Amino acid sequence: MTGDRVPAAGAAVRLVVVLGSNADARRRLQQARSELERAAAIVAASEEVEAPSYLPGDASIYRNQALLLEWPGATGGFTALARDIERRLGRRREAAGAAAHDVEIDIDLVAGFGGDGALLHLAPEKLAPDLVRTLVRQVVSGCGRAELDEALG
């Protein structure tokens, strides 16, 4: 399931987000967390892990982390905020085929859940790398969300 189902009016949602940075990574992840926390409470955070890129042809080392956020609205609003934060922290979204090492900071929405636990958003392509699944498990452990559990494998 991908897409953006809208929660009930005034209902908060829980978002699973993955951060990654390949330039001044520790500082950029801290800045991204601080910016996100201005709009949403951080409910849980995974460990930060440095690892080679999982993208073919990208030799960069990335620092990665997953977050579970309490978000006050629809998941689409989060995507707009994430792109704005990326831009302010140096992300340049180049044309298709741009070098992956140009990323600097990446904020990806992986999943979103309503207050009742209903799945509102799932981006299974974001869960493909083993490292991402490992970090996401750290922030959703014990949540009992069957659709996400299935996507995590």
Side-chain angles (χ1 to χ4, degrees), residues 20-29 31 60-63 89-90 101-105:
S21 179
N22 62 344
D24 196 10
R26 190 178 305 269
R27 184 176 65 85
R28 283 198 201 283
L29 288 188
Q31 289 173 321
S60 299
I61 301 295
Y62 286 79
R63 189 169 192 87
L89 294 182
H101 64 273
D102 292 339
V103 169
E104 294 191 12
I105 184 71

Side-chain angles (χ1 to χ4, degrees), residues 4-29:
D4 186 27
R5 289 182 29 211
V6 179
V13 297
R14 292 252 168 130
L15 303 180
V16 180
V17 176
V18 176
L19 310 176
S21 179
N22 62 344
D24 196 10
R26 190 178 305 269
R27 184 176 65 85
R28 283 198 201 283
L29 288 188

Side-chain angles (χ1 to χ4, degrees), residues 51-96:
S53 173
Y54 47 80
L55 300 174
D58 182 2
S60 299
I61 301 295
Y62 286 79
R63 189 169 192 87
N64 304 277
Q65 183 177 41
L67 303 174
L68 181 63
L69 305 175
E70 186 83 19
W71 178 253
T75 57
F78 175 80
T79 302
L81 174 67
R83 296 304 163 252
D84 182 58
I85 293 170
E86 288 176 343
R87 182 189 50 74
R88 286 187 280 124
L89 294 182
R91 172 79 186 250
R92 302 293 176 252
R93 291 195 176 271
E94 303 295 339

Side-chain angles (χ1 to χ4, degrees), residues 109-135:
L109 175 60
V110 173
F113 299 93
D116 61 357
L119 185 66
L120 303 172
H121 174 88
L122 181 61
E125 71 281 3
K126 301 293 184 184
L127 291 168
D130 288 337
L131 174 60
V132 172
R133 289 194 308 275
T134 297
L135 295 175

